Amino acid sequence: MHIPHGVLSPTTAIVTEVLGAAGLGAGLWALRGKERDRTTARMGMTGAFLFAAQMVNFQLYPLPISGHLLGGVLASVILGPWAGSVVIAAVLIVQCLLFGDGGLDALGANFINMGLIGSVVGRAIYAPLRRAIGGRRGVLLASMAAAWVTVILGATAFAIEFAASGHFQEFVPVLGWMLLVHAGIGVGEALITGGIVRFVLLSRPELLDDETTAAEAAQTPVRRHLQAAVAGLAVACAVAIFLAPFASRFDDGLEWVGQKTGLIEEKPSPIRAPIPDYEFPGVPRYATAAAGLVGTLVVFGVGMALARVFARPIEAAVKEGTPSHAT
Amino acid sequence: MRLKLAFSGGGDRDEGPLDRLDERALIAFAFGYVILVLATPIGAWRPLAIEAIALAFVAGFAGVSARSLWDRRSGFIITFAFFSIMAATAHPSRRELGLAAVAASLLAKNTLALSAIVALVEIVPFHAILAALARSHAPKMLLSTLMFMDRYIYVLTDELDRMRKARTARTFRGSGRLDYAILTSLLGVLLLRAWERGDRVHAAMAARGWDGVIRTLDRSGKNL
Amino acid sequence: MIGDRPADSAALIAERPVEKPPAVLVKDLDFRYPDGRHALRGVDLTIMTGESIALVGPNGAGKSTLLWHLNGLLPEYAGSTAGHHGGGERVRKRSSQAAVWIDGIELNAKNAAEIRRRVGLVFQDPDDQLFSATVLDDVAFGPLNLGKSQPEARRIAIDCLARVGLADAVDRPPRHLSFGERKRVCVAGVLACDPTVLVLDEPTANLDPRARRQFISLIRSLPATKLIATHDLEMVLELCNRAILLDGGEIVANGLTRNVLGDPLLLEAHGLETPLSVKFGRV
């Protein structure tokens, strides 16, 4: 889901470009001094890979939706959060300039929705979950959960950016539609990410082990707590988002905020007959909640099934003296 | 599964007078034009028309074919039509101008911005844009990632296509669809190969003295 | 072991100062990959300046691993991160001491840059080596990294492209070249660094007969010392005066090409096949 040219209002475009640039700058700052390392070539190759992978369309049976990999969480799992976000930025730039996919004014917003939320927030969800579950099952299940949650958060971020572009009244219906569609896309993202991570774990596990242990060795307890806090917040947001349509005064609340901050200008138009506030059709409230629930269950169920391969034989575990692999 | 690469840029365009300008000037010019178009108010038809004529003139002057501009536009027209109607329904200007006019100006602005980008990439090849950015001290990490992508997207897509063909040759099914499990393992293989290639590429670069600094030849030095 | 140059002589040359040191000297090189694979077991090798040596052996014999050691890409890219301020890759300390000398210069982190200039490594897959957007940029990559000025690097690059017969391909992107042409651009990119030793990994693999013929004449025309790892034994007969047979990380035979390739039992025992021209007595 790439926002094209001219959808965001100038203010929103500027704000998101600045935020996106700051996020990208933070990522580049975290990677400084690594230019001559293998990381550079791996990042470029991961970018080219994501690009190629996005050419592959997956049909989401039984829904009439076909999706493709976005790759924020995947890049983050294999390269680390900041390198992952820089890779996504590069993919977005190539798509914008070479393919006309996504607007120049929306690069910042697209990077926030897919790069920062996908890779950085995704990593914050992935890391504590992976530690909690432990082992290769942890890597697989945590990356799937992160993929699912980040797509939902990205869709929400889009709805917010869109609403901030002068469409406050439409926030709830737009959010509803975005969530309904992205529940499907999110399940697809989780399944594709899970499938690829599982394949890597089965054929070259040391690649992921290296990356994750190296990243975690460098982590301070403060950062762990911070990560856990971000993860908790992200999951809470995702839950709240699906339940939000039930809060009946929510839209009025946003409108009130908009008027207070002067973002919505009430221009009474004397010429025309009053037009209803919006005609954009809303989504039945239960539909989004149901989609969220079904999506979560599907991701969880498929994740467990995929992870069965990593259930370690008891003898092997005993031999290593680590009865439970959880760390 | 479809595999189709439709790049803009690098076409068979004849060299026009704009090719002699510095790439950085052209990039700044194109980006400035996009900003100007996007800042044009909804329903301001006269400025939009002037901008459109200006773009058509510059593109024609540089030898960019109208066809390449249209090909790119047509690919995204359905998505954008959806967006523009969604954005137009509650647009503040709708009360004065009506739904159709708002949607049409959104579409026009989008088309002009998109066409300007496509024209830029037609005139300045992507690698030259990157080289120009490198000379303007853009962040190295981002640039080298972009350079690798520019070079290896084709290599990896070819590889994916070969694997897909080998796979379908052994799958006896009428439809072109492949199963989810097969697709993810195809992508998994591709990812691992891409990674191994990345390590070899890095080794080859290190063998020729790579130290993290991107150095390219000046395009302007062509006349030396 | 067949040998007109016993391994001991390598040690002698290293210790006794001679007028001109060997182009390549490898002493007791031992290497294990992090996954535990024992790829090289005490390899000794001496190549004199101007020699053309073939490195033959079955897949997995350790040929590529040996080649990667000659300019310090292994172990673990030690040279590329040495002396680099924090945040770099972990440099794993290995037990293997300096075991490689090029033109008498010891290969260590300090000399890595100079060694890499002297040893030109041509990879098997040209796409691994050609990473730049245009042919000229790629050939100029080495000279620019060596600190040459823009016009000088451009001159060197154009010159080297002419030497491999691709003077007209200057502005083309690598993906528009044939496999054989890409291969020759790789050679140009390596020549641009002005190496004294040219190391080629499977130079004729995947080439069609005409491209193979062109490539062989190209290699022959280059004056540098050459080490060629290959399965193409016919080419070895044409180009190399000496052949080294590597298997299981050890040198099994090291001698004149006609002696090594003329021993059917030896070749068969190590997964190779007697070249037809030897079988039918043309050589």
Side-chain angles (χ1 to χ4, degrees), chain C residues 119-170:
Chain C
V119 181
L121 179 55
V122 180
F123 282 64
Q124 180 178 349
D125 183 349
D127 280 331
D128 291 345
Q129 196 160 347
L130 288 180
F131 65 92
S132 301
T134 68
V135 165
L136 191 66
D137 271 324
D138 203 89
V139 181
F141 176 78
L144 285 173
N145 282 338
L146 289 172
K148 300 271 194 280
S149 69
Q150 286 269 348
E152 212 181 340
R154 176 179 298 274
R155 190 188 55 70
I156 294 173
I158 291 175
D159 192 44
C160 289
L161 278 171
R163 280 171 76 184
V164 300
L166 284 172
D168 54 341
V170 164

Side-chain angles (χ1 to χ4, degrees), chain A residues 5 104, chain B residues 25-40 46-59 69 108-120:
Chain A
H5 287 108
L104 204 58
Chain B
L26 288 170
I27 296 167
F29 186 69
F31 281 23
Y33 178 83
V34 171
I35 293 169
L36 180 72
V37 165
L38 294 178
T40 310
R46 195 166 297 168
L48 277 177
I50 294 168
E51 283 156 7
I53 292 167
L55 177 68
F57 179 73
V58 172
L69 296 183
K109 284 167 67 169
N110 179 271
T111 305
L112 288 180
L114 186 60
S115 304
I117 296 283
V118 176
L120 170 70

Side-chain angles (χ1 to χ4, degrees), chain B residues 147-204:
Chain B
M147 284 175 169
F148 280 120
M149 282 186 69
D150 179 41
R151 171 68 180 89
Y152 286 102
I153 281 172
Y154 284 98
V155 177
L156 291 196
T157 344
D158 280 356
E159 214 163 301
L160 182 61
D161 201 34
R162 278 200 305 274
M163 291 193 311
R164 185 188 59 87
K165 284 198 185 109
R167 188 72 234 183
T168 16
R170 288 182 286 143
T171 315
F172 301 97
R173 211 179 287 165
S175 75
R177 278 195 227 114
L178 289 171
D179 278 334
Y180 155 83
I182 297 174
L183 279 180
T184 50
S185 57
L186 270 187
L187 292 182
V189 174
L190 186 68
L191 176 65
L192 290 182
R193 287 196 191 168
W195 247 5
E196 282 157 10
R197 189 185 287 282
D199 288 356
R200 288 197 305 273
V201 170
H202 178 263

Side-chain angles (χ1 to χ4, degrees), chain B:
Chain B
M1 177 163 121
R2 95 202 135 84
L3 278 177
K4 199 172 64 181
L5 271 188
F7 274 94
S8 35
D12 308 319
R13 193 180 56 87
D14 298 330
E15 292 223 336
L18 286 183
D19 293 77
R20 274 182 235 121
L21 285 177
D22 186 57
E23 293 90 349
R24 281 176 282 187
L26 288 170
I27 296 167
F29 186 69
F31 281 23
Y33 178 83
V34 171
I35 293 169
L36 180 72
V37 165
L38 294 178
T40 310
I42 297 286
W45 291 109
R46 195 166 297 168
L48 277 177
I50 294 168
E51 283 156 7
I53 292 167
L55 177 68
F57 179 73
V58 172
F61 190 57
V64 178
S65 71
R67 185 178 175 103
S68 63
L69 296 183
W70 171 248
D71 282 353
R72 191 81 2 224
R73 168 73 279 180
S74 59
F76 291 100
I77 200 149
I78 294 171
T79 334
F80 193 76
F82 164 75
F83 265 111
S84 61
I85 291 169
M86 186 170 91
T89 39
H91 200 278
S93 315
R94 187 187 158 191
R95 286 163 213 243
E96 298 133 53
L97 300 166
L99 183 73
V102 175
S105 4
L106 285 172
L107 188 61
K109 284 167 67 169
N110 179 271
T111 305
L112 288 180
L114 186 60
S115 304
I117 296 283
V118 176
L120 170 70
V121 182
E122 286 272 323
I123 297 168
V124 189
F126 191 56
H127 66 82
I129 294 182
L130 295 180
L133 291 176
R135 267 176 277 134
S136 319
H137 303 288
K140 280 185 230 135
M141 229 33 190
L142 183 64
L143 269 182
S144 51
T145 306
L146 285 168
M147 284 175 169
F148 280 120
M149 282 186 69
D150 179 41
R151 171 68 180 89
Y152 286 102
I153 281 172
Y154 284 98
V155 177
L156 291 196
T157 344
D158 280 356
E159 214 163 301
L160 182 61
D161 201 34
R162 278 200 305 274
M163 291 193 311
R164 185 188 59 87
K165 284 198 185 109
R167 188 72 234 183
T168 16
R170 288 182 286 143
T171 315
F172 301 97
R173 211 179 287 165
S175 75
R177 278 195 227 114
L178 289 171
D179 278 334
Y180 155 83
I182 297 174
L183 279 180
T184 50
S185 57
L186 270 187
L187 292 182
V189 174
L190 186 68
L191 176 65
L192 290 182
R193 287 196 191 168
W195 247 5
E196 282 157 10
R197 189 185 287 282
D199 288 356
R200 288 197 305 273
V201 170
H202 178 263
M205 291 169 78
R208 288 196 284 158
W210 164 254
D211 56 1
V213 183
I214 301 159
R215 301 183 183 89
T216 50
L217 291 171
D218 286 337
R219 197 160 165 249
S220 51
K222 219 187 306 193
N223 308 324
L224 283 175

Side-chain angles (χ1 to χ4, degrees), chain A:
Chain A
M1 156 219 61
H2 291 46
I3 306 173
H5 287 108
V7 167
L8 300 178
S9 71
T11 324
T12 317
I14 291 168
V15 169
T16 49
E17 296 278 16
V18 168
L19 287 177
L24 182 61
L28 292 167
W29 177 254
L31 294 170
R32 73 194 181 285
K34 289 196 180 172
E35 288 89 354
R36 54 164 40 178
D37 285 358
R38 252 188 302 196
T39 321
T40 325
R42 281 191 176 171
M43 281 167 66
M45 287 300 162
T46 310
F49 162 77
L50 287 181
F51 203 96
Q54 291 182 348
M55 310 255 148
V56 182
N57 272 327
F58 286 78
Q59 185 72 39
L60 279 172
Y61 303 112
L63 303 172
I65 306 171
S66 78
H68 62 70
L69 181 70
L70 298 172
V73 170
L74 185 66
S76 174
V77 167
I78 61 182
L79 290 168
W82 295 113
S85 71
V86 173
V87 167
I88 301 292
V91 172
L92 290 172
I93 290 172
V94 170
Q95 282 168 337
C96 170
L97 289 183
L98 279 186
F99 287 76
D101 196 1
L104 204 58
D105 56 331
L107 258 182
N110 284 330
F111 177 59
I112 292 172
N113 301 353
M114 284 175 270
L116 289 180
I117 291 183
S119 278
V120 180
V121 176
R123 183 70 174 208
I125 298 168
Y126 164 83
L129 260 181
R130 192 193 77 79
R131 274 196 300 273
I133 304 169
R136 289 178 187 160
R137 294 181 73 217
V139 174
L140 177 63
L141 291 172
S143 56
M144 289 179 75
W148 159 241
V149 176
T150 51
V151 168
I152 296 306
L153 292 176
T156 312
F158 168 78
I160 293 171
E161 287 147 8
F162 187 70
S165 298
H167 308 283
F168 277 96
Q169 299 93 326
E170 282 181 86
F171 178 69
V172 170
V174 168
L175 179 63
W177 281 111
M178 290 300 284
L179 289 181
L180 206 57
V181 173
H182 282 79
I185 293 177
V187 170
E189 177 79 5
L191 299 195
I192 304 167
T193 305
I196 296 174
V197 167
R198 178 171 179 267
F199 185 88
V200 174
L201 284 173
L202 285 174
S203 31
R204 295 280 303 277
E206 77 280 2
L207 290 176
L208 285 179
D209 291 348
D210 270 9
E211 295 298 331
T212 42
T213 45
E216 260 153 46
Q219 267 191 357
T220 56
V222 178
R223 261 190 81 172
R224 276 191 195 197
H225 288 305
L226 189 70
Q227 227 172 25
V230 173
L233 197 64
V235 174
C237 284
V239 172
I241 287 158
F242 278 110
L243 297 178
F246 288 103
S248 55
R249 305 294 300 163
F250 191 63
D251 42 348
D252 300 338
L254 252 181
E255 205 169 335
W256 181 81
V257 171
Q259 282 167 3
K260 278 284 168 195
T261 50
L263 278 169
I264 296 181
E265 288 159 46
E266 277 296 308
K267 272 194 232 148
S269 155
I271 310 160
R272 297 253 178 142
I275 292 176
D277 258 0
Y278 54 84
E279 294 160 53
F280 203 77
V283 181
R285 280 167 187 175
Y286 296 96
T288 48
L293 189 66
V294 170
T296 310
L297 288 177
V298 168
V299 171
F300 182 74
V302 176
M304 292 307 279
L306 286 178
R308 274 204 355 225
V309 126
F310 301 115
R312 292 151 51 92
I314 293 166
E315 304 93 327
V318 169
K319 217 180 278 171
E320 284 181 26
T322 49
S324 76
H325 198 62
T327 40

Side-chain angles (χ1 to χ4, degrees), chain C residues 30-31 38-43 56-63 245-252 270:
Chain C
D30 209 84
F31 181 73
H38 202 163
L40 295 176
R41 303 162 191 262
V43 171
V56 296
N59 286 337
K63 298 193 296 290
L245 175 53
L246 194 70
D247 196 2
E250 286 172 305
I251 293 187
V252 185
H270 296 286

